[in-house]
Amino acid sequence: MVERPAGAAPDLIPATAMQESLWWVHQRARNRSVYHLTWRLAVDQPLDEAALLVAWQAMADRHEALRTSVVRQADAVTLVVAPRIVVGLHRVEVDDPGPADPGTLLRLVAEEVHAGPMEPETAPLARITLVRVGDRHEVLLTVHHVVLDGWAVQLLVGELSEAYAAVREGRAVSFPADAALFSTYAREQAAARADGRWDKSLAYWCDTLADATSAVLEPDLPGEVVSGAPGAILRYGFSAEAGAGIAALAKATFATPFAIILGAAQLVLARAGAGPDVAVGVVTANRMTARDQALLGYTANLCIARARVTDADTVAAVVSAARDGTWQMLAHQAVPYPVVFRALPEQTRTTLGDPAPLLLSYLGPIGTDLRLGAVPATLLPSPNRAARADLAMSVWEVDGGHLAEIEYHTGRYRESSVLALLHDLDAVLADGGAEPQRTVGSFDVATRARTGHAAPVAVNGDRAAGPLPESTDWQQVVAGWTDVLGGPPAGPDVDFFAAGGNSLSALRLVDTLAADGRPAVDVVRWLGEPTPRRLVDLLGNGSQPAPAESTLVRLRDGRGPHLHLVHGAGGSPQDYQDLLAELPEHWRVTASRDSLKLPTVPALARRYQADLDAAGLVPDLLGGWSFGGQVAYQMAADQVGRRSALVLLDSAPPVGYELPAEDVRQRFDTFTENIHRALDLEPDAPRPRVTGGTEPAGFDERLAVGTLAACLAAVRQPVPTALLAHRWHSYERHIRASAEYVHDGPVDTPALVIGADLLDAQLAQWAARVGAPRSQRIDTDHFGVLHSAAVAQVAAAVIDFARVAAARG
């Protein structure tokens, strides 16, 4: 929620070249959390939530980056800085992890929190989540990389700690100096781009990178080269011998630890098959002044470190060359890599890749000696599930040694290959430090590398390949694709970037298609699915939308009585499996599934009845559990001629009721209980409680669904977060439909009403709305009607009722 003082308007600032580039990558990323940064901080005691909220608000008031959104206006990417923004805290609690390992559950919750949506156009692009599992506590600080880099996060944690301590001690939050303004930095960047200030450095990079080709690891798996692909994090502690080697090489060559590790990586890649010309991406802080070092924002840059490494070179020579190359690189790091990339020939852009497939960064002592006020904090491994590149490695100093964290593309590499690279680096650092004059050719490495993006391995059933449809629009797309990439697409669903495209060529392709007066394609809409098929659709004359799929599901064929069941709120036909097992095998059983997101009971009833009619089916019995019974009742009311008899399984009568917005958390608890019952989980399985934030009723549904997914995964019953979200949204829609549904009846058909949690008054209300009512109470709760031993009683009552209904004709 943004609060604007009277007369104040947001500042509009040109995004930096790096921010602009990252914004475009975000649009096309398979997993849009790929550029989230989460610092997962373990603390040994709970924090004062009220004090932390005051401190967090102080940070938002102090720093522009925490009030910034990034939007596209016309053809420009722009920063919008709000005068003030109100922030909140989220809290996730699991009182009792039950059979789940607390450490595993904390990690899974962190992964879900990290993956939560954070769209650049909606500030704030930072959030804090407090997590408690049993008596263990973590603080999760998640930011979007488009406004903050790793250096800035370190600054933010330090200032947040000071502010929190002040609030706890009853002092006003204050700092020795005003915050450096990112808007000033961004405007300086725009001026430098316009006035030619970068020309000398740009010429250096064009000369240095002429005909360069990125080094890559040989892939193990057939995954596509695409940003936001499935990823994992591996943390590795370098051996004491490697640490001693770094110290020895620093003494022998006067190189920094960063240059030494870079040289070792270049040596390993050269020996692994990349050849003597090794180019890798290096992430630099790009903070050369005292002001920039205190700036909370995104200043980091990508540079390409290129080296020549031959078998005859010594370790000391490789490290010395890396040292000299690093100094040259740092002297020219101010020019943003996107500007460099645009200036390179198309062939070089293709061979380097966008972004670089291998990334290396050195973080110094970042993340050490952390605290929040007086509470010590430990930085735990990042909870990423997405990969920016094939492999991105960060190294930092800790306790006199060095740690590495590698984010890697799990669709292309197995963990064993990543470990092989780390072990090779460790050995080169250790042995090379012990013997700096040892030659490169004397090292044997397990890593396998090459230059240039390794093409994905073809697999059976890959829908990206295949023949292209015939139409004018398809011909235009193929012609444009061929002009930009040098060849036609391999199939209708091939990914443009996996086929060798980059951000510049994507814009060129869209511009090509807009020539000759044809309608322009919205490139942002296309980047979400950058395939030829999607381009054709966006041109306006693509394939016609497929007709809506039938909602009818056949659970069992038979010649006996026909029972048709309607799902409960947020449920599916699978929820009736226990009941199905208790019914006679000769019964025909069908069901309706909700696939069309219809908003009301009458709309659902009309569609489900239409699909039964289309199949030529007239059920003998029509019913459902809970909400499903209401839809079945409306279906019977809509039937013309003979009506099906009704089976209402603990369904509330259609009298309507109020649905307070603040009860959403209670409804989510009920939804959680539904899921637990459906999965037949033990009673002590962990259940999350989510509160806080600035959302209505203090409830963040995405966070709630994600933490429920984490709890299920922790007890080895994983359900994809997207599937849970779908079921939750269906559940909420059905609950709202039920609350609005009123039908006075009567519907002249026999009805069996099974009561578990229904009140006597509700049974009486049903009796007034059906003909020939028959009610029966079952000794269970609402959920037990389908998921306990009581289901046998329910089945027996349904079987007996079927005989009575058939006799009445």
Side-chain angles (χ1 to χ4, degrees):
M1 177 175 67
V2 177
E3 296 181 348
R4 299 179 185 172
D11 287 335
L12 303 180
I13 303 152
T16 68
M18 287 298 291
Q19 288 177 310
E20 185 177 2
S21 176
L22 195 148
W23 185 91
W24 282 105
V25 174
H26 174 93
Q27 303 306 317
R28 77 176 196 242
R30 291 288 176 84
N31 181 336
R32 290 197 170 186
S33 72
V34 63
Y35 280 105
H36 293 182
L37 303 176
T38 293
W39 276 32
R40 183 182 166 204
L41 303 173
V43 293
D44 60 6
Q45 59 185 275
L47 298 185
D48 181 334
E49 186 174 338
L52 184 62
L53 179 57
V54 173
W56 185 229
Q57 184 65 60
M59 293 298 95
D61 294 342
R62 174 170 165 79
H63 292 292
E64 289 181 328
L66 300 179
R67 307 192 306 276
T68 296
S69 53
V70 186
V71 301
R72 186 181 184 224
Q73 296 183 336
D75 290 328
V77 178
T78 303
L79 308 180
V80 181
V81 181
R84 188 165 193 271
I85 197 164
V86 176
V87 297
L89 300 177
H90 293 89
R91 184 172 65 250
V92 174
E93 295 180 309
V94 180
D95 292 329
D96 182 3
D101 173 68
T104 299
L105 183 50
L106 283 164
R107 174 181 60 79
L108 292 168
V109 168
E111 290 176 358
E112 292 293 342
V113 170
H114 172 87
M118 193 180 286
E119 293 301 326
E121 62 270 15
T122 306
L125 296 176
R127 59 180 177 240
I128 291 178
T129 307
L130 304 178
V131 181
R132 178 179 64 81
V133 172
D135 60 357
R136 293 176 61 174
H137 300 267
E138 290 185 6
V139 180
L140 307 178
L141 172 60
T142 304
V143 305
H144 200 296
H145 202 5
V146 76
V147 292
L148 293 172
D149 56 26
W151 184 299
V153 176
Q154 173 91 349
L155 294 175
L156 177 58
V157 171
E159 288 196 2
L160 180 64
S161 177
E162 294 178 31
Y164 178 69
V167 178
R168 288 279 291 162
E169 295 165 10
R171 297 183 283 111
V173 177
S174 63
F175 295 93
D178 291 339
L181 299 179
F182 189 79
S183 56
T184 301
Y185 174 85
R187 290 189 174 104
E188 290 173 353
Q189 290 276 297
R193 191 193 311 205
D195 64 16
R197 204 176 311 169
W198 292 331
D199 287 355
K200 183 178 179 181
S201 289
L202 193 57
Y204 164 82
W205 284 117
C206 288
D207 181 61
T208 299
L209 299 179
D211 302 321
T213 302
S214 288
V216 297
L217 296 188
E218 285 284 6
D220 307 311
L221 303 167
E224 292 180 329
V225 180
V226 60
S227 183
I233 292 288
L234 181 63
R235 182 177 277 195
Y236 179 85
F238 283 101
S239 67
E241 292 79 6
I246 292 173
L249 286 167
K251 185 175 181 180
T253 63
F254 302 101
T256 63
F258 169 55
I260 293 167
I261 292 169
L262 173 60
Q266 291 167 334
L267 187 159
V268 170
L269 291 168
R271 285 294 294 153
D277 189 355
V278 182
V280 297
V282 172
V283 180
T284 65
N286 199 22
R287 294 172 183 258
M288 302 303 288
T289 68
R291 185 217 51 184
D292 290 351
Q293 289 169 12
L295 179 61
L296 205 76
Y298 178 28
T299 70
N301 194 15
L302 171 65
C303 298
I304 302 297
R306 188 179 186 184
R308 184 164 183 81
V309 181
T310 70
D311 285 352
D313 291 330
T314 66
V315 174
V318 172
V319 169
S320 296
R323 174 201 63 202
D324 296 342
T326 298
W327 285 118
Q328 286 289 326
M329 178 179 68
L330 294 178
H332 297 284
Q333 69 175 321
V335 55
Y337 183 68
V339 175
V340 174
F341 193 77
R342 289 189 186 96
L344 296 173
E346 179 67 31
Q347 180 60 35
T348 304
R349 292 201 294 259
T350 300
T351 56
L352 282 179
D354 176 26
L358 295 184
L359 300 174
L360 177 65
S361 59
Y362 189 81
L363 306 178
I366 195 170
T368 58
D369 193 28
L370 296 173
R371 58 186 55 250
L372 289 165
V375 181
T378 302
L379 183 61
L380 300 176
S382 171
N384 256 2
R385 286 178 175 167
R388 291 168 287 171
D390 278 0
L391 185 149
M393 180 170 70
S394 299
V395 181
W396 69 97
E397 303 162 15
V398 59
D399 297 330
H402 291 82
L403 280 178
E405 204 168 79
I406 290 194
E407 168 195 293
Y408 65 98
H409 184 336
T410 55
R412 286 171 61 79
Y413 301 101
R414 297 187 178 94
E415 183 181 286
S416 57
S417 294
V418 179
L419 280 171
L421 173 63
L422 288 164
H423 290 154
D424 286 339
L425 277 174
D426 200 298
V428 167
L429 291 169
D431 297 343
E435 191 180 352
Q437 297 306 311
R438 181 171 170 177
T439 61
V440 171
S442 67
F443 285 93
D444 291 324
V445 299
T447 303
R448 293 292 173 263
R450 55 168 285 173
T451 54
H453 277 303
V457 179
V459 292
N460 293 332
D462 183 359
R463 77 183 191 100
L468 300 173
E470 287 291 335
S471 74
T472 301
D473 285 343
W474 275 101
Q475 291 170 1
Q476 292 169 351
V477 167
V478 171
W481 189 289
T482 302
D483 178 57
V484 170
L485 294 185
D493 298 299
V494 68
D495 185 285
F496 177 79
F497 297 94
N502 55 55
S503 298
L504 293 178
S505 53
L507 293 172
R508 196 171 119 212
L509 173 57
V510 170
D511 287 343
T512 298
L513 294 175
D516 301 326
R518 290 191 295 267
V521 169
D522 185 338
V523 67
V524 174
R525 292 178 65 193
W526 179 58
L527 287 175
E529 187 183 346
T531 66
R533 188 188 304 277
R534 180 62 173 154
L535 265 182
V536 170
D537 289 342
L538 291 173
L539 283 173
N541 294 315
S543 56
Q544 294 297 316
E549 189 177 352
S550 174
T551 61
L552 183 64
V553 177
R554 299 176 187 270
L555 299 179
R556 179 189 292 167
D557 287 326
R559 298 189 177 185
H562 177 190
L563 169 65
H564 183 81
L565 296 166
V566 180
H567 56 82
S572 73
Q574 295 301 315
D575 296 337
Y576 292 106
Q577 288 302 309
D578 289 349
L579 177 61
L580 184 66
E582 297 289 339
L583 294 173
E585 292 186 1
H586 68 286
W587 276 36
R588 171 183 290 181
V589 184
T590 57
S592 292
R593 60 183 178 86
D594 180 13
S595 57
L596 302 177
K597 300 182 180 180
L598 298 174
T600 66
V601 168
L604 286 163
R606 286 193 296 271
R607 179 53 197 250
Y608 296 168
Q609 186 60 53
D611 287 340
L612 278 170
D613 293 342
L617 297 176
V618 181
D620 301 296
L621 304 173
L622 187 61
W625 171 73
S626 192
F627 173 73
Q630 294 183 329
V631 178
Y633 174 76
Q634 182 64 49
M635 290 171 69
D638 292 343
Q639 286 177 334
V640 178
R642 184 177 77 83
R643 287 194 172 102
S644 305
L646 284 167
V647 175
L648 308 174
L649 306 179
D650 212 40
S651 300
V655 296
Y657 58 93
E658 184 180 357
L659 190 66
E662 60 270 18
D663 285 351
V664 63
R665 277 179 286 183
Q666 182 177 342
R667 295 199 296 276
F668 189 81
D669 289 342
T670 303
F671 172 75
T672 297
E673 184 65 25
N674 280 347
I675 296 297
H676 278 229
R677 293 290 189 114
L679 294 175
D680 197 24
L681 297 182
E682 296 295 327
D684 62 347
R687 289 167 168 78
R689 185 167 63 253
V690 174
T691 56
T694 57
E695 293 77 6
F699 180 79
D700 184 328
E701 66 174 27
R702 170 56 181 79
L703 181 58
V705 170
T707 51
L708 175 57
C711 288
L712 297 176
V715 293
R716 302 182 185 279
Q717 289 282 359
V719 178
T721 306
L723 177 57
L724 277 179
H726 172 76
R727 292 197 68 164
W728 162 247
H729 292 147
S730 297
Y731 179 82
E732 269 286 88
R733 176 165 45 85
H734 295 157
I735 290 297
R736 295 181 186 281
S738 179
E740 297 170 359
Y741 180 48
V742 176
H743 193 290
D744 293 331
V747 175
D748 187 19
T749 188
L752 168 66
V753 183
I754 298 289
D757 284 349
L758 289 181
L759 304 175
D760 289 342
Q762 291 176 302
L763 294 176
Q765 288 171 328
W766 271 125
R769 285 169 167 78
V770 295
R774 183 178 188 182
S775 62
Q776 180 173 336
R777 284 205 170 274
I778 301 292
D779 187 17
T780 186
D781 61 15
H782 182 66
F783 302 101
V785 170
L786 296 183
H787 300 297
S788 73
V791 76
Q793 292 179 262
V794 172
V798 172
I799 294 167
D800 184 58
F801 175 69
R803 287 194 294 266
V804 173
R808 292 184 178 180

